[in-house]
DNA sequence: CGTAACCTTGACGCCGATCAAGAGCAGTGG
DNA sequence: CCACTGCTCTTGATCGGCGTCAAGGTTACG
């Protein structure tokens, strides 16, 4: 049975059949009755670039599937110092680290489309859907590893190594979504990158310039970066 | 029905009834038949202080419940720079972030007692035990938040703030295990602390000395620290 | 085409790293 | 009980990578 048959037969809810992240979001593990149930409580929503989706102290009323765009998570210290905790892309699930509050602010870096669920309903649905629980546990495990890699970067890498690691990471994300492995789009500002890497905008800018001068990368229009010498960049990144 | 009845009736496996972490480990959510099944595939094991339980590239053949002692997780860069990813205590589950390999080295800082399960058996058991899955997901969420706090610390806090945050964290762990909230035992060396905080031993030592001079903390025998001025230390930590 | 962000580059300063030496401390054996 | 030994911890002097401050260039967008 091909996809068209599924859609026309109505086995796949309209909202899901049109979803750009259909095959890479957590929903891919759901059997059709489950998917229908999910779809019934889902709300699709679009945020514009620059919009704040939620603040860190907000009650966590929703969990999200990112169906398109790039999302940034940040935390603040009381004096305004900011740390970027991570970026989320098409297919990512947002809500794994949530408690009663979100715990971090959620920002749309591009136009972002999400599929949103009330937390309470999602929790209830989770209890009766072991395959979804499996999937979330697996993703939590992946995120934990990613967080550890971030910790390693912040604790022990130099400025150059951090920037190189970041560029490789962005290119890799591009590749997993079907793009080229040596082309990275950077929808975030230098300040965002700096706050992700525990640096300043000036330092990020200097390192990027240096890598460009050494012909390891090229800067293209629209904040795109071409990795000209993958081996050299990997070398500069000091490994994962 | 009290605990004694349970034990003498045999509803609780011997290995579990004697477990020091019985009520705080993941097993607490298991119904008795489930607990018995778990116990059947569990092996208790003791490691001496300083022992390496596993290396980061080892195949992850086991997951662990820490039933006593303190465990440290570390990652290395190829040139030997080390990052301490975290510490685990009595009641903690070790294995959430694991893939095919452990991904980080596992070290016993004190005498450590664990309850160990073969990964494959544990996975199979997990699939048929939703309440355990729930529990793991909840713990993964907590760990993710803890990792984010660590990221904030490494990315944006000063040396003094890092050390202060660390002392508060250790005291809090002490408190959750029934100890005093202003007494922390530090079974790790200054080098371990430094590698956790992204600093050097010298800097950690200097900051500790300064806090001692300001009478914010006292150093007691056996690597214990008394928090003399909790408010002041919290102040020095710049929040969570 | 004008304006407001964002980005880059340069000069300088500081926090924490590095280098070095001595003090404290636990374990060992006489 | 004490001397010895090796490690950990502390403290001081100096250094350097990255932050800070400042100014100019570039890009996006109305």
């Amino acid at each position: 049975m091909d996809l068209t048959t599924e859609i026309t037969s109505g086995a796949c809810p309209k909202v899901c059949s049109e979803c750009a992240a259909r095959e890479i979001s957590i929903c891919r593990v759901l059997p059709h009755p489950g998917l229908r149930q999910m779809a019934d409580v889902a709300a699709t929503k679009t945020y514009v670039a620059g919009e704040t989706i939620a603040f860190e102290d907000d009650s966590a009323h929703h969990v999200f599937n990112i169906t398109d765009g790039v999302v940034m998570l940040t935390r603040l210290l009381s004096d305004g110092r900011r740390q970027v905790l991570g970026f989320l892309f098409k297919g990512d699930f947002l809500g794994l680290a949530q408690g009663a509050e979100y715990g971090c602010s959620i920002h749309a870096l591009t136009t972002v489309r999400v599929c949103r669920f009330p937390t309470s309903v999602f929790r209830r649905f989770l209890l009766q859907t072991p395959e979804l629980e499996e999937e979330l546990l697996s993703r939590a495990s992946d995120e934990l590893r990613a967080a550890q890699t971030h910790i390693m970067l912040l604790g022990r890498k130099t400025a150059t190594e951090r920037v190189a690691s970041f560029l490789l990471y962005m290119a890799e994300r591009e590749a997993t979504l079907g793009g080229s492995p040596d082309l990275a789009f950077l929808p975030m500002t230098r300040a965002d990158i700096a706050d992700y890497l525990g640096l300043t905008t000036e330092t990020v800018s200097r390192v990027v310039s240096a890598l460009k001068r050494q012909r390891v990368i090229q800067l293209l229009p629209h904040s795109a970066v071409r990795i000209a010498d993958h081996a050299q960049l990997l070398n500069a990144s000091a490994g994962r």
Side-chain angles (χ1 to χ4, degrees), chain A:
Chain A
M1 189 193 324
D2 71 359
L3 191 62
T4 316
T5 317
E6 283 181 34
I7 293 168
T8 52
S9 74
C12 184
K14 185 159 183 296
V15 62
C16 296
S17 67
E18 286 171 355
C19 174
R22 177 78 189 84
E23 290 304 321
I24 55 173
S25 82
I26 56 167
C27 312
R28 69 174 175 206
V29 302
L30 294 175
H32 280 166
L35 188 61
R36 178 162 297 278
Q37 267 185 277
M38 279 280 275
D40 283 346
V41 294
T44 59
K45 213 162 174 331
T46 302
Y47 301 92
V48 301
E51 195 171 351
T52 297
I53 300 175
F55 292 93
E56 67 181 285
D57 300 319
D58 288 353
S59 299
H61 291 311
H62 296 97
V63 299
F64 308 80
N65 273 323
I66 314 299
T67 57
D68 204 19
V70 183
V71 164
M72 175 173 72
L73 306 179
T74 66
R75 251 201 217 182
L76 291 178
L77 289 178
S78 49
D79 64 357
R81 277 174 289 174
R82 189 182 73 149
Q83 177 64 40
V84 171
L85 299 172
F87 301 100
L88 296 176
F89 305 86
K90 192 204 306 193
D92 285 345
F93 177 76
L94 168 53
L96 284 172
Q98 278 169 207
E101 292 84 32
Y102 286 110
C104 50
S105 295
I106 308 169
H107 307 275
L109 292 182
T110 62
T111 299
V112 166
R113 288 185 60 81
V114 303
C115 185
R116 203 178 76 170
F117 307 90
T119 304
S120 55
V121 179
F122 187 82
R123 285 253 167 82
R124 221 175 309 133
F125 184 67
L126 199 55
L127 288 173
Q128 58 194 50
T129 317
E131 53 268 57
L132 189 58
E133 203 127 53
E134 285 291 319
E135 175 70 11
L136 287 191
L137 197 51
S138 155
R139 293 199 179 219
S141 175
D142 291 347
E143 277 208 31
L144 224 27
R145 286 206 153 205
Q148 291 177 346
T149 302
H150 197 183
I151 286 169
M152 170 98 253
L153 177 144
L154 293 171
R156 288 297 176 228
K157 289 192 179 181
T158 65
T160 302
E161 289 166 350
R162 293 181 200 202
V163 172
S165 300
F166 174 72
L167 293 173
L168 286 169
Y169 162 69
M170 288 301 291
E172 199 182 309
R173 290 285 340 203
E174 203 63 50
T176 61
L177 292 177
S180 159
D182 44 63
L183 209 55
F185 294 94
L186 306 181
M188 65 292 288
T189 67
R190 291 286 185 271
D192 295 336
I193 298 173
D195 286 348
Y196 179 74
L197 298 178
L199 300 170
T200 58
T201 51
E202 292 94 329
T203 298
V204 171
S205 193
R206 273 185 255 271
V207 172
V208 168
S209 296
L211 290 172
K212 194 173 61 175
R213 217 175 310 119
Q214 299 161 220
R215 309 216 179 288
V216 176
I217 61 171
Q218 287 175 275
L219 297 193
L220 309 177
H222 304 298
S223 311
V225 176
R226 163 163 224 81
I227 298 178
D229 191 337
H230 213 277
Q232 215 31 50
L233 193 59
L234 192 62
N235 205 51
S237 78
R240 59 168 178 175

